[in-house]
Amino acid sequence: MGTTAGRATGEPDAERRRGAFSSRRVFILAAIGSAVGLGNIWRFPYVAYENGGGAFVLPYLVALLTAGIPFLLLDYAIGHRHRGSAPLSFARLRRGTEGLGWWQVGICFLIAVYYAAVIAWALRYTFFSLDGAWGADPEGFFFGEFLQAGDVQVTTDVVPGVLVPLVLVWLAVLAIMVLGVQRGIGATSLVFIPVLVLAFAALVVQALLLPGAATGLDALFTPDWSALTSAPVWAAAFGQIFFSLSIGFGIMITYASYVGRREDMIGSGLVVGFSNSGFELLAGIGVFAALGFMAQASGVPVGEVASDGIGLAFIAFPAIISEAPAGALLGVLFFGSLVIAGITSLVSVIEVVISAVRDKLDTSRRTATLVVGVPAAVLSLVLFSTTSGIYVLDVVDHFVNQYGILVVALVSMLVVVWVLRALAGLGEHLNVHGRPRVGAGWRVLTSFVAPVGLAVVLVLALRDDLAAPYEDYPGWLLLVFGWLLVVALPVVGFLLARLPWRAGTHLDGPPPGSDPAAPLQAIPTTDPPAGNPPVTGHDEGGTR
Amino acid sequence: MSTAAIVMMVVAMVVIWGGLGLAIASLLRHGAVEDRTEDRRRDP
């Protein structure tokens, strides 16, 4: 029996107000939308190429099956059983662990702030593609004319060409968030994910028809079997799976809390996990087919044109677009895909913060969206629409990923598994309606394989960063926007956990009626009353 | 493309996209069973 904060609980009403996805299909599409992001398109292909090519398939699959999906199911179980945002779910696991949830919320807030900027760049480049605005020098155009990047310093010199699309991105995303879980996030996913798959499939077809495409695919898939004995290659596989699945920092906990109590979370997790990897494979084929064309056109090996991240998207791809037949179409498909994939991921990241604020303060969605979204948007505009935005973004992205997400995911997992010893109960919860059932194998993978995999990735990253300054940035930049930031996150998280919950919040254990095996009539379902349209009935709106 | 590259590309496609197909099929099959079970529970 749990305790409540304040007056008698009205938990079913509270849960109804939180909102919910109208169906399993909507949840799966939203979860895929979260998982499939910029990293699938611009990170996976190069990671695979650099770490054994075709041979990378093996560690990648091992990482997916032994760490990625088990960890994803753990997140699902926590959120689905405890029916709350990350802080509320952890508080319900045990009050003292609430800070872990706020730590995750802080990371999501930071990611949202800089992720929007990259989407804004991609949005602008979608239009640049139409006339090849970068001319013969994509790199000079990107850093010079577009970003107007100067010396490595923090400035307030605004770049209008970045500011305007960034404002548009924030307006679009906040509009989605105000609409709520189903009408905003769910409806966006229902439209965006099929469009993303179709657009990227069209890009892949076009890329495969380019001369030299086979050379690129040969470079990507030719196996280097010696890579299988390299620890960094295995760490790269675990890192890629971990970063691309959106696990361990609150997103999947939050989304799972919006799913009907009787849904199959195991089957859903398998679909989400394989969909994410399926899209990565598609991205690898499309990107390397295009790089093969570029290599052949330039008369150089694929290795000389291959890159990842910003270099791939905003320097290599514009060069390809300039050379390729129907390059404008290729550009619109590529950058349009980045925008769509980015927005569905950004929405999921912000929802972690909004959901936590709503749970804690009992505010309406509209208020919570403003409380979270306006400061995030302002910070984003101030930091990343300036001539120094690229440097700050690069540092924050690196440190938040390597030491924010990785550490909080590892600590959260260890606490749930080894301190709270909650794995058995969570597994039982998943098994009530989930197939195939999880058992001892899942518990072993979650207790040992996944944490060890994450720990190795973390140690290797730490070794690299201690050996040499990241990208040779000045120490003060790395200290302020890197180390201090990631150290501050857990401190702020555990301070926020000291704030009181809204009156009536059920704490210390799953909320009443959360048992998915309970008789149907005893379950305070989030389903709408009979006769009401599902969409409105599942949404909390902004009226409170 | 070399034979090894073609083989690895096909293996990756079969395992990952095949895994996705199996996961979807399993979910649909199990979902249908659940629906029938719930129908019986609603209308004994």
Side-chain angles (χ1 to χ4, degrees):
Chain A
M1 206 46 199
T3 61
T4 58
R7 60 179 164 73
T9 179
E11 204 56 38
D13 286 340
E15 189 170 314
R16 198 184 295 268
R17 288 199 305 269
R18 294 185 74 243
F21 292 118
S22 64
S23 69
R24 179 174 59 200
R25 182 174 60 123
V26 177
F27 159 66
I28 288 174
L29 285 175
I32 292 171
S34 171
V36 173
L38 303 179
N40 294 63
I41 298 171
W42 75 20
R43 189 173 189 273
F44 170 79
Y46 191 72
V47 169
Y49 167 73
E50 279 282 281
N51 291 282
F56 185 73
V57 171
L58 185 63
Y60 178 81
L61 285 172
V62 169
L64 173 68
L65 296 174
T66 63
I69 289 176
F71 199 167
L72 182 67
L73 295 181
L74 178 65
D75 267 1
Y76 280 178
I78 293 171
H80 193 246
R81 187 183 193 202
H82 297 93
R83 320 297 299 171
S85 57
L88 182 55
S89 290
F90 276 103
R92 284 172 169 169
L93 268 166
R94 189 174 295 176
R95 290 290 297 275
T97 63
E98 182 191 330
L100 290 173
W102 286 109
W103 187 357
Q104 296 181 344
V105 167
I107 286 169
C108 285
F109 184 85
L110 278 182
I111 292 173
V113 167
Y114 73 78
Y115 207 79
V118 185
I119 300 171
W121 299 349
L123 180 62
R124 195 82 202 283
Y125 265 67
T126 308
F127 293 98
F128 285 160
S129 300
L130 296 174
D131 61 355
W134 44 78
D137 181 15
E139 184 171 0
F141 176 84
F142 178 67
F143 288 107
E145 196 172 328
F146 179 54
L147 294 180
Q148 299 174 24
D151 295 333
V152 181
Q153 57 181 332
V154 178
T155 71
T156 54
D157 300 333
V158 171
V159 181
V162 177
L163 178 75
V164 173
L166 189 50
V167 169
L168 292 177
V169 167
W170 275 110
L171 287 175
V173 168
L174 294 184
I176 293 170
M177 304 317 293
V178 165
L179 285 172
V181 176
Q182 173 59 30
R183 284 185 299 172
I185 301 169
T188 302
S189 304
L190 274 174
V191 175
F192 275 26
I193 299 306
V195 169
L196 173 64
V197 172
L198 287 176
F200 211 85
L203 180 150
V204 170
V205 170
Q206 190 181 356
L208 287 173
L209 294 175
L210 294 171
T215 312
L217 295 182
D218 195 48
L220 176 62
F221 285 106
T222 296
D224 171 14
W225 298 112
S226 67
L228 295 181
T229 57
S230 161
V233 168
W234 285 84
F238 276 80
Q240 177 60 31
I241 285 292
F242 172 76
F243 288 126
S244 79
L245 269 179
S246 296
I247 46 182
F249 58 109
I251 294 175
M252 292 306 175
I253 292 177
T254 306
Y255 271 15
S257 74
Y258 297 140
V259 182
R261 295 163 192 274
R262 294 180 293 281
E263 292 295 352
D264 176 352
M265 299 304 288
I266 301 173
S268 302
L270 289 171
V271 171
V272 172
F274 275 103
S275 295
N276 178 63
S277 294
F279 192 88
E280 288 194 325
L281 181 59
L282 193 68
I285 292 170
V287 166
F288 266 81
L291 290 172
F293 161 74
M294 190 64 206
Q296 181 167 303
S298 310
V300 297
V302 174
E304 284 193 24
V305 294
S307 59
D308 65 347
I310 290 170
L312 172 74
F314 298 104
I315 296 169
F317 247 85
I320 294 166
I321 292 163
S322 294
E323 295 288 328
L329 175 63
L330 190 70
V332 170
L333 290 172
F334 179 75
F335 290 110
S337 296
L338 283 182
V339 171
I340 294 172
I343 283 182
T344 52
S345 296
L346 178 58
V347 159
S348 70
V349 166
I350 299 176
E351 179 60 20
V352 173
V353 191
I354 289 176
S355 176
V357 168
R358 292 200 70 205
D359 281 348
K360 188 84 174 185
L361 303 177
D362 194 23
T363 60
S364 70
R365 171 164 281 275
R366 189 173 298 157
T367 304
T369 302
L370 291 175
V371 165
V372 172
V374 171
V378 169
L379 201 56
S380 182
L381 293 168
V382 168
L383 284 174
F384 302 115
S385 67
T386 64
T387 54
S388 58
I390 178 77
Y391 308 122
V392 177
L393 188 150
D394 194 21
V395 173
V396 175
D397 176 51
H398 176 75
F399 279 84
V400 165
N401 274 289
Q402 297 292 4
Y403 307 108
I405 297 178
L406 263 182
V407 176
V408 77
L410 185 59
V411 172
S412 304
M413 182 180 255
L414 292 174
V415 166
V416 170
V417 172
W418 293 106
V419 179
L420 305 182
R421 299 201 172 270
L423 217 47
L426 293 170
E428 285 171 15
H429 177 89
L430 288 173
N431 283 338
V432 174
H433 289 286
R435 298 294 183 277
R437 292 175 187 275
V438 295
W442 175 68
R443 290 196 294 275
V444 169
L445 293 174
T446 315
S447 305
F448 298 101
V449 179
V452 169
L454 286 186
V456 171
V457 175
L458 181 64
V459 168
L460 291 178
L462 197 58
R463 184 194 63 179
D464 290 345
D465 277 319
L466 292 179
Y470 173 65
E471 294 289 336
D472 284 329
Y473 283 121
W476 64 267
L477 191 72
L478 297 176
L479 184 68
V480 174
F481 292 101
W483 297 113
L484 285 180
L485 210 54
V486 294
V487 169
L489 283 170
V491 176
V492 172
F494 280 89
L495 287 175
L496 285 172
R498 298 181 68 85
L499 295 175
W501 284 93
R502 63 180 165 81
T505 303
H506 175 94
L507 300 170
D508 299 335
S514 67
D515 178 7
L520 288 176
Q521 60 270 31
I523 297 173
T525 174
T526 55
D527 290 341
N532 279 7
V535 167
T536 52
H538 275 278
D539 241 314
E540 70 280 33
T543 54
R544 291 188 63 251
Chain B
M1 283 178 74
S2 66
T3 307
I6 292 171
V7 168
M8 290 314 296
M9 186 171 77
V10 171
V11 166
M13 287 175 169
V14 168
V15 174
I16 293 175
W17 291 341
L20 174 60
L22 284 175
I24 292 172
S26 168
L27 186 63
L28 291 176
R29 194 169 58 243
H30 176 237
V33 172
E34 280 295 307
D35 289 345
R36 286 200 294 275
T37 308
E38 295 209 347
D39 286 345
R40 285 198 296 274
R41 290 169 70 181
R42 287 178 200 276
D43 188 17

